[in-house]
Amino acid sequence: MRLVVIGGVAAGTKAASRARRVDPNLGITIYQEEPEISISECGLPYLISGAVGGRDALVARTPEQFAEKDVEVLTRHRVTELDPKNKRLLVENLETGEKFEDSYDRLVIATGAKAVLPPIDGAGLDGVFTLRFLSDTDAITWYVQEHSPKKATVVGGGYIGLEVAENLKELGIEVSLVEAEGKVALDYGPEVSEKIEEHLKEKDVGVYTGSKVEEFMGDGRVRGVRVGETELETELVIVGTGIKPCVDLAEEAGAEVGASGAIRVDKRLRTSLRDVWAAGDCVETVNLVTGEATWVPLGDTANQMGRVVGTNATRGYDSEDILEFPGVLGTGVFKVFDLGVAKTGLSEEAAENAGFAVVTAAIDSADKAAYYAGASPTFVKLIADGATGRLLGAEIVGGNADKYVDICATAIWGRLSYPDLVNLDLAYAPPFGPVLSPIIGAASVLEGEFEKETEGVRATE
Amino acid sequence: MRLVVIGGVAAGTKAASRARRVDPNLGITIYQEEPEISISECGLPYLISGAVGGRDALVARTPEQFAEKDVEVLTRHRVTELDPKNKRLLVENLETGEKFEDSYDRLVIATGAKAVLPPIDGAGLDGVFTLRFLSDTDAITWYVQEHSPKKATVVGGGYIGLEVAENLKELGIEVSLVEAEGKVALDYGPEVSEKIEEHLKEKDVGVYTGSKVEEFMGDGRVRGVRVGETELETELVIVGTGIKPCVDLAEEAGAEVGASGAIRVDKRLRTSLRDVWAAGDCVETVNLVTGEATWVPLGDTANQMGRVVGTNATRGYDSEDILEFPGVLGTGVFKVFDLGVAKTGLSEEAAENAGFAVVTAAIDSADKAAYYAGASPTFVKLIADGATGRLLGAEIVGGNADKYVDICATAIWGRLSYPDLVNLDLAYAPPFGPVLSPIIGAASVLEGEFEKETEGVRATE
């Protein structure tokens, strides 16, 4: 019995490791286009500044370590064709150009996602980069060492752009951040975007929102960015305007692709092709708040899916002894300088678009008892379903954002409502937080909003 | 309409504030024995070392601030008798000795808990203290300034004792910690107690477990502690061997008291006496994991109960427009030097005693991505119900203990099981944690334990 895994980053390597653990006798091969496998891609922005000590630190496991577990890893190999009927693959060795056939009994597609470089004039100039693979940070690092840029422009105000802006600034480079939409952190409510923009300005990052990049200018190397009518001098550009799932191989082989553009899978992570599973950034999953299909490409989710798919592909397409991956909430966190920013579930806008009658509460609190040293401000916004009181989403900015968002994510997973949140038995001691967690504080305000609504009903009755 | 609140620390002051918000016209009086109200008692150990900047920092609100909200506060007043039939109180002014009668329409008892000084010879010596009220830290601070003790003994290895040991050590005092039972942190599993004891030793605290204090020795002032056969030289003793609820007033008036020794209340926090509510450290509540009555006196819970009781006492004993306090999980966290220690729900032992067939998993993880600076080790133990897979409890030691325990507390509240925990959509970015939260990691191990059990069943079938 032979399992082939296409893609060797988070989902692919986790699937292979898990499959080996479930079945010590399974033949396992990973094909991977990049020279390295098992890359912690979320750490890449931190490689630019050196906050992460060297590229090797981001390689969780090497092909040699997999070989010890009897998992064959072929790097610099691209699977160019998939014939699901005959369970055959066409593979190209990217080093030698050699092509060969391979076959599988079970197949896991974990082809990930790739950066999208928008069609902007001058995008091909030296010094214009995207950031997705280790090879990208290698190239950026080389470029920075070679040319010592004084000014850089980051295109895109999502979390990658924001993380990159911080890390370039840490190198002493003057940074401008350009975002085509009216605010950074588009997935968040306006209060959060404002707080981030204020913080960027405090940190001397030039912020250009509602500003479309018209052209990268230069002569061989990039020298400027035209944004609307203004021109920004720049010697380095990093574009973080988005990624898209790598689905060509699966789609051409006949696998169903969802409206999100990612491969459609069921809860067992099976594609529509028999004996073919898929996991990670190339698949769509279910948003557990709305029940709708969603595409949320994140490293932790890819890891979790890898565990499920590695188990299930080993046990068989029709086995009942399988694991399920139920879906995601859209939880995420990022750091931008001294600010933690996090969300889970639906934003107010997303909840309204999903048809909920939304009730929200927002508070400014702190992450420690006020009298204890080192307290930081924390902003919490809770989004609830007006009909049932159920928590639908949360947004946090400031101290302990990662902690407070995880409480909310767990609460949404457990379908808790505001009366639960108000009474939730969370841990308290002065070094760790205020006597009432900001989540409980925000839930109390939420309760007040619901009481007002009830009083409104009483008043009109 | 007049509301009287007996006790002015966490539950009492919160109840009064809340009552004022619900009903701007209610007459409200708080009787408080101590000279101050609204004390953050959990901060008291930190006052000893000066980690908290001055005693005023621990007074959340003054009587004057309450007066501005038209809440009368009478400090240094003790309610000595309660006549629930006639809704009358006998009150003693502790400054003048004067006694007077008062009456109420609605009464909230929030008399709290007091430290228990065990019957040890020499407990009356100068330099032997308990730590419960601001007046205790005042006395300890004065004593330390006056006598500059070089050696101190802390009696009791619960969280108060451990916090006190740290704070005395911060003052440069040599500290011995004596615990009668075989381990510190009795509520926790042995792995946790061991880690704490190791850490105490690293920090040069003498740890004497399984060691009963036989006698405090000295001549006016304490000079030594006899522990079994050995004698510890000591110039200062702080006893943190436990507290008990202050229920005499309520019990003498006929209020039901539970097996825990605390006042019995329903979910509305009503006592068995008409128009009398109770909240905070003087009441028992429900352990939501076992459904049994429990007494867990903690400041955050007292605050939450204050909110509920303030609302309900204002709305009336038979009103349906009330809030409920459903119970607690037994969540707690404390810091001992560099170690965070936290728990929620049941320990393995408590779960077994409650009749569960227990499955556990424990892992050593870290609180950040391994390649990111400043990662600390984190120990996680999960306790699950073998029959259903439901999470029953968790214990955490190390980095981000407060965060991980709050995730588990929320998970227990939402009655989540290990398949939920394994797939939980928590927030990840390298500055905030490893790619898979230690909770998810521990849940994976837990899943493995359940699979082993299933295989065991299969093998024997």
Side-chain angles (χ1 to χ4, degrees):
Chain A
M1 187 73 76
R2 182 144 189 279
L3 171 68
V4 171
V5 177
I6 306 176
V9 186
T13 53
K14 184 81 176 196
S17 301
R18 181 76 185 185
R20 168 56 67 241
R21 194 179 297 187
V22 175
D23 183 352
N25 301 313
L26 192 67
I28 307 177
T29 297
I30 302 176
Y31 288 114
Q32 158 78 337
E33 293 188 30
E34 297 285 310
E36 295 87 2
I37 57 157
S38 206
I39 309 301
S40 304
E41 289 180 343
C42 304
L44 292 176
Y46 300 94
L47 208 48
I48 296 174
S49 66
V52 165
R55 69 198 297 282
D56 290 352
L58 293 188
V59 179
R61 284 217 245 165
T62 61
E64 292 70 33
Q65 287 171 305
F66 274 97
E68 280 169 27
K69 299 272 183 190
D70 204 17
V71 172
E72 180 186 40
V73 177
L74 294 165
T75 57
R76 301 293 290 138
H77 280 69
R78 177 184 295 153
V79 177
T80 56
E81 268 183 61
L82 160 59
D83 171 2
K85 206 169 157 193
N86 300 302
K87 296 191 168 183
R88 298 195 73 78
L89 302 168
L90 198 62
V91 186
E92 180 180 357
N93 179 329
L94 297 174
E95 293 292 337
T96 63
E98 180 205 355
K99 292 189 179 182
F100 59 92
E101 272 203 347
D102 192 9
S103 66
Y104 63 85
D105 298 296
R106 313 269 169 81
L107 183 70
V108 170
I109 296 175
T111 41
K114 61 186 171 199
V116 180
L117 194 58
I120 298 172
D121 281 355
L125 287 167
D126 269 10
V128 178
F129 299 93
T130 55
L131 177 55
R132 179 70 193 167
F133 300 116
L134 201 47
S135 52
D136 296 326
T137 48
D138 288 346
I140 293 166
T141 301
W142 181 88
Y143 190 89
V144 167
Q145 282 171 356
E146 191 72 11
H147 300 293
S148 302
K150 305 256 172 313
K151 295 183 177 189
T153 301
V154 175
V155 183
Y159 72 92
I160 291 285
L162 293 164
E163 287 175 348
V164 166
E166 174 188 347
N167 280 281
L168 289 173
K169 195 78 191 158
E170 293 294 327
L171 288 177
I173 299 173
E174 202 176 296
V175 178
S176 299
L177 184 112
V178 183
E179 165 59 52
E181 302 290 332
K183 59 174 190 158
V184 302
L186 265 188
D187 292 350
Y188 287 78
E191 309 92 334
V192 174
S193 301
E194 248 168 57
K195 281 173 198 283
I196 298 170
E197 287 167 27
E198 269 168 35
H199 192 64
L200 288 171
K201 285 168 193 167
E202 277 167 31
K203 295 292 178 180
D204 260 335
V205 172
V207 179
Y208 300 84
T209 52
S211 304
K212 205 159 171 287
V213 172
E214 306 290 348
E215 186 184 357
F216 300 116
M217 295 167 302
D219 180 13
R221 275 173 58 201
V222 68
R223 297 292 179 188
V225 177
R226 191 153 62 77
V227 179
E229 300 301 298
T230 52
E231 283 185 20
L232 301 172
E233 256 185 73
T234 201
E235 297 150 83
L236 169 65
V237 171
I238 300 184
V239 180
T241 49
I243 58 174
K244 67 172 191 181
C246 301
V247 301
D248 291 354
L249 182 77
E251 198 168 22
E252 282 163 17
E256 269 180 49
V257 166
S260 70
I263 301 167
R264 186 172 286 169
V265 289
D266 64 11
K267 281 194 181 173
R268 302 162 161 220
L269 303 182
R270 298 185 297 191
T271 69
S272 60
L273 303 175
R274 192 166 173 88
D275 289 332
V276 180
W277 288 256
D281 291 355
C282 65
V283 305
E284 61 175 34
T285 182
V286 175
N287 179 315
L288 291 172
V289 183
T290 63
E292 305 283 320
T294 187
W295 181 58
V296 186
L298 288 172
D300 52 339
T301 305
N303 253 285
Q304 288 169 303
M305 285 183 172
R307 206 184 118 271
V308 169
V309 85
T311 305
N312 293 356
T314 307
R315 293 187 173 161
Y317 204 76
D318 298 320
S319 169
E320 288 307 316
D321 185 19
I322 45 85
L323 300 180
E324 291 195 342
F325 184 81
V328 298
L329 303 174
T331 312
V333 65
F334 62 88
K335 182 172 100 69
V336 51
F337 297 97
D338 313 328
L339 219 55
V341 181
K343 68 181 266 294
T344 185
L346 307 181
S347 68
E348 184 172 355
E349 193 186 339
E352 281 168 355
N353 291 343
F356 291 101
V358 177
V359 175
T360 70
I363 64 161
D364 285 297
S365 181
D367 66 349
K368 285 198 171 55
Y371 53 81
Y372 200 87
S376 302
T378 298
F379 167 84
V380 175
K381 180 176 178 179
L382 300 181
I383 297 107
D385 174 11
T388 63
R390 180 162 73 96
L391 186 65
L392 300 175
E395 296 177 350
I396 328 274
V397 182
N400 278 348
D402 58 318
K403 169 178 170 175
Y404 300 130
V405 79
D406 277 357
I407 296 170
C408 292
T410 309
I412 295 175
W413 196 283
R415 301 183 78 83
L416 301 191
S417 301
Y418 69 85
D420 297 302
L421 295 178
V422 162
N423 289 315
L424 207 55
D425 187 10
L426 300 174
Y428 165 64
F432 298 104
V435 64
L436 290 184
S437 166
I439 299 305
I440 294 173
S444 292
V445 176
L446 194 59
E447 183 184 72
E449 295 299 319
F450 274 90
E451 294 220 331
K452 270 188 224 162
E453 299 228 330
T454 315
E455 278 162 26
V457 172
R458 277 185 215 135
T460 56
E461 265 170 6
Chain B
M1 185 75 76
R2 181 142 190 281
L3 171 69
V4 170
V5 177
I6 306 175
V9 187
T13 53
K14 184 83 176 193
S17 300
R18 180 78 185 184
R20 168 55 66 241
R21 194 179 297 187
V22 175
D23 183 351
N25 301 314
L26 192 68
I28 307 176
T29 297
I30 302 176
Y31 288 114
Q32 159 78 336
E33 293 190 29
E34 297 285 309
E36 295 87 4
I37 57 156
S38 205
I39 310 301
S40 304
E41 288 180 343
C42 304
L44 291 176
Y46 300 94
L47 207 50
I48 296 174
S49 66
V52 165
R55 70 199 295 282
D56 290 351
L58 293 188
V59 179
R61 286 216 244 166
T62 61
E64 291 72 29
Q65 287 170 307
F66 274 97
E68 281 170 26
K69 299 271 181 191
D70 204 17
V71 173
E72 179 186 40
V73 177
L74 295 165
T75 57
R76 301 293 289 136
H77 280 69
R78 177 185 295 154
V79 178
T80 56
E81 267 183 62
L82 159 59
D83 172 2
K85 205 168 157 194
N86 299 302
K87 296 192 167 182
R88 299 196 72 80
L89 302 167
L90 198 62
V91 186
E92 181 181 356
N93 179 329
L94 298 174
E95 294 292 338
T96 63
E98 179 208 356
K99 293 189 181 182
F100 59 92
E101 272 203 348
D102 192 8
S103 65
Y104 63 85
D105 299 294
R106 314 269 168 81
L107 182 71
V108 170
I109 297 176
T111 41
K114 62 186 169 198
V116 180
L117 194 59
I120 299 173
D121 279 356
L125 287 167
D126 268 10
V128 178
F129 298 94
T130 54
L131 177 54
R132 179 70 194 167
F133 301 116
L134 201 48
S135 52
D136 296 325
T137 48
D138 288 346
I140 294 166
T141 300
W142 180 89
Y143 190 89
V144 168
Q145 281 170 358
E146 191 73 11
H147 300 294
S148 302
K150 304 257 172 313
K151 297 183 177 188
T153 301
V154 175
V155 183
Y159 72 93
I160 290 284
L162 292 164
E163 288 176 347
V164 166
E166 174 189 347
N167 280 282
L168 288 173
K169 195 78 190 158
E170 293 294 326
L171 287 177
I173 298 172
E174 201 177 298
V175 178
S176 299
L177 184 112
V178 183
E179 165 60 51
E181 301 290 331
K183 57 174 193 159
V184 302
L186 264 189
D187 291 350
Y188 287 79
E191 309 92 334
V192 174
S193 300
E194 249 169 55
K195 281 174 199 282
I196 297 170
E197 287 168 26
E198 271 168 35
H199 191 66
L200 287 171
K201 286 168 192 165
E202 278 166 31
K203 296 291 179 180
D204 260 336
V205 172
V207 179
Y208 300 83
T209 53
S211 303
K212 205 159 171 288
V213 172
E214 306 289 349
E215 186 184 357
F216 299 115
M217 294 167 303
D219 180 14
R221 274 173 59 201
V222 68
R223 296 292 180 188
V225 178
R226 191 154 61 76
V227 179
E229 299 302 297
T230 54
E231 283 185 21
L232 301 171
E233 255 185 73
T234 200
E235 298 151 81
L236 168 64
V237 171
I238 300 184
V239 180
T241 49
I243 59 174
K244 67 173 191 180
C246 301
V247 301
D248 291 353
L249 181 76
E251 199 168 23
E252 283 163 18
E256 271 181 48
V257 166
S260 70
I263 301 168
R264 186 171 286 169
V265 289
D266 64 10
K267 282 193 180 171
R268 302 164 161 217
L269 303 181
R270 298 185 297 192
T271 70
S272 61
L273 303 175
R274 191 164 175 90
D275 289 332
V276 180
W277 288 255
D281 291 356
C282 65
V283 305
E284 61 176 33
T285 182
V286 175
N287 179 314
L288 291 173
V289 183
T290 62
E292 306 283 320
T294 188
W295 181 59
V296 186
L298 288 171
D300 51 339
T301 305
N303 253 284
Q304 289 169 302
M305 286 183 173
R307 207 184 118 271
V308 170
V309 86
T311 305
N312 293 356
T314 308
R315 293 188 174 161
Y317 204 76
D318 297 321
S319 170
E320 288 306 316
D321 184 21
I322 45 83
L323 300 180
E324 292 196 341
F325 184 81
V328 299
L329 304 173
T331 311
V333 65
F334 61 88
K335 182 171 102 67
V336 50
F337 296 99
D338 312 329
L339 221 54
V341 181
K343 70 181 265 294
T344 184
L346 307 181
S347 69
E348 184 172 354
E349 194 186 339
E352 281 167 356
N353 291 344
F356 290 101
V358 177
V359 176
T360 69
I363 63 162
D364 286 296
S365 180
D367 66 349
K368 286 200 171 54
Y371 55 81
Y372 199 88
S376 302
T378 297
F379 168 84
V380 175
K381 179 175 179 179
L382 299 181
I383 296 105
D385 174 11
T388 62
R390 182 163 72 96
L391 187 66
L392 299 176
E395 296 176 350
I396 327 272
V397 182
N400 278 348
D402 59 317
K403 169 179 170 175
Y404 300 130
V405 80
D406 277 357
I407 296 170
C408 292
T410 310
I412 295 174
W413 196 281
R415 301 183 78 81
L416 300 191
S417 300
Y418 68 85
D420 297 301
L421 295 177
V422 162
N423 289 315
L424 207 54
D425 187 10
L426 300 175
Y428 165 63
F432 298 104
V435 63
L436 290 183
S437 165
I439 299 307
I440 293 173
S444 292
V445 176
L446 194 59
E447 184 186 69
E449 295 299 318
F450 275 91
E451 294 220 332
K452 269 189 224 162
E453 299 228 329
T454 314
E455 279 161 24
V457 172
R458 275 185 216 136
T460 56
E461 264 169 7

